[in-house]
Amino acid sequence: MKRKQTVCLAALLALVAGCTMDAYDKGEGSYSLLRADFAEAYVGEDLKMRYFITDEGDSLPVDKPYSASWWQTPDSAYRTLMYYALMENGANYPYAKLMGITRVPTVVPHRQFFFEEGIKTDPVGLESAWLSSNRRYLNLGLLLKVGTTDDENAYHSIGVVADTLLAYPDSTHTLRLQLHHDQGGMPEYYSQRTFVSISTRDCQADTIQLTLNTFEGPVTKTFLLNP
């Protein structure tokens, strides 16, 4: 990975539940009312998270401070998928009782010259693509081909190329993006789901067009940033 233009998804692409708790129970017990939201987890100076903000704009304190091995920068926000139960205290103020935290890899669009080894368009499976409610992220639900390997250098690499900025007579702009995907020597035995978020904060455009090479051929999705 060079210049941080891609994220590397390690062998088997297991989404990391790196908090101090165990994976959540999917049974019929106290976890039956489990919620799952994409969010930004805010980490303080002590590398502990005390609240998060969902893509819908809900700011929720957590029942106790949490830490994760991949939180390494104090006073930072981390992209996550939160599994939690929404609770209320005696004053009817909601808070989140966490059941699990998953890291969501996040990429920023870069121009082509940042990809020093060239643009790769190895195919992916596309399950879903949507713009977050706050329009700060374009989220992708991908299916990547994986398999067991002894090669420690085998991993998927994903990035986004800022291809072309189109200007129209009405002063609106469309930014064309291309998904960079390098299979990276990973065996292709079966498909595994992973989520990736594309940051749109620096996309100076009204509309985004994202092109992906899927197993069925190229697919282009269009998203309106400024409705």
Side-chain angles (χ1 to χ4, degrees), residues 51-180:
Y51 75 101
F52 61 88
I53 299 179
T54 70
D55 284 358
E56 286 68 38
D58 295 325
S59 179
L60 292 172
V62 293
D63 54 331
K64 58 184 178 181
Y66 288 92
S67 61
S69 61
W70 38 276
W71 295 342
Q72 300 178 352
T73 304
D75 296 321
S76 299
Y78 287 87
R79 185 69 172 157
T80 61
L81 179 56
M82 295 288 190
Y83 299 94
Y84 65 98
L86 190 62
M87 314 293 287
E88 288 189 355
N89 59 23
N92 293 325
Y93 291 119
Y95 68 94
K97 181 178 180 181
L98 290 190
M99 311 301 184
I101 305 173
T102 295
R103 183 178 187 177
V104 178
T106 302
V107 294
V108 177
H110 286 290
R111 299 300 298 272
Q112 185 170 351
F113 63 82
F114 276 86
F115 296 80
E116 298 175 354
E117 298 179 1
I119 307 302
K120 300 291 184 66
T121 57
D122 294 334
V124 299
L126 179 62
E127 277 198 326
S128 55
W130 73 98
L131 199 63
S132 64
S133 299
N134 56 19
R135 288 181 161 75
R136 297 175 66 172
Y137 296 98
L138 174 55
N139 301 305
L140 303 177
L142 302 177
L143 294 175
L144 303 183
K145 293 292 185 179
V146 299
T148 303
T149 176
D150 294 328
D151 185 358
E152 295 181 354
N153 295 317
Y155 53 78
H156 290 266
S157 179
I158 290 180
V160 176
V161 186
D163 187 3
T164 306
L165 183 64
L166 302 177
Y168 300 105
D170 62 357
S171 298
T172 61
H173 296 80
T174 294
L175 178 62
R176 288 180 174 173
L177 303 177
Q178 171 71 51
L179 185 72
H180 162 90

Side-chain angles (χ1 to χ4, degrees), residues 7-9 13 144-146 155-158 181-183 186:
V7 292
C8 297
L9 305 181
L13 286 165
L144 303 183
K145 293 292 185 179
V146 299
Y155 53 78
H156 290 266
S157 179
I158 290 180
H181 172 231
D182 184 356
Q183 184 75 18
M186 178 67 69

